[in-house]
Amino acid sequence: MKSVSLRVILPCYNVAKYIERAVDSILRQDFEDYEVIIINDGSPDNLLDICEKWGGMSNIRIVTTPN
């Protein structure tokens, strides 16, 4: 795991309609050395489809686990 000053962990289940607003809010902050970890807890909505747009960013990690 890389060393960062701040980790934001977002546990997610059925929050597809809110996740974009939450992550965009974090990305608008002015801190630099951070990582966002989105944990998909087996969400049945289209959460992963929405999260794909951040998949190429080095400071965002998407973890999927079964519920």
Side-chain angles (χ1 to χ4, degrees), residues 4-58:
V4 294
S5 297
L6 175 70
R7 280 195 175 88
V8 180
I9 300 172
L10 298 173
C12 300
Y13 186 83
N14 279 342
V15 294
K17 60 184 175 180
Y18 309 110
I19 189 68
E20 191 166 7
R21 181 176 176 195
V23 173
D24 286 345
S25 175
I26 296 166
L27 295 176
R28 282 194 304 268
Q29 303 305 311
D30 60 358
F31 45 78
E32 296 176 8
D33 189 20
Y34 69 99
E35 179 180 36
V36 179
I37 303 171
I38 301 170
I39 301 176
N40 173 25
D41 190 20
S43 187
D45 58 5
N46 64 336
L47 178 72
L48 288 176
D49 294 334
I50 296 168
C51 291
E52 283 180 1
K53 74 183 228 174
W54 302 300
M57 297 180 73
S58 63

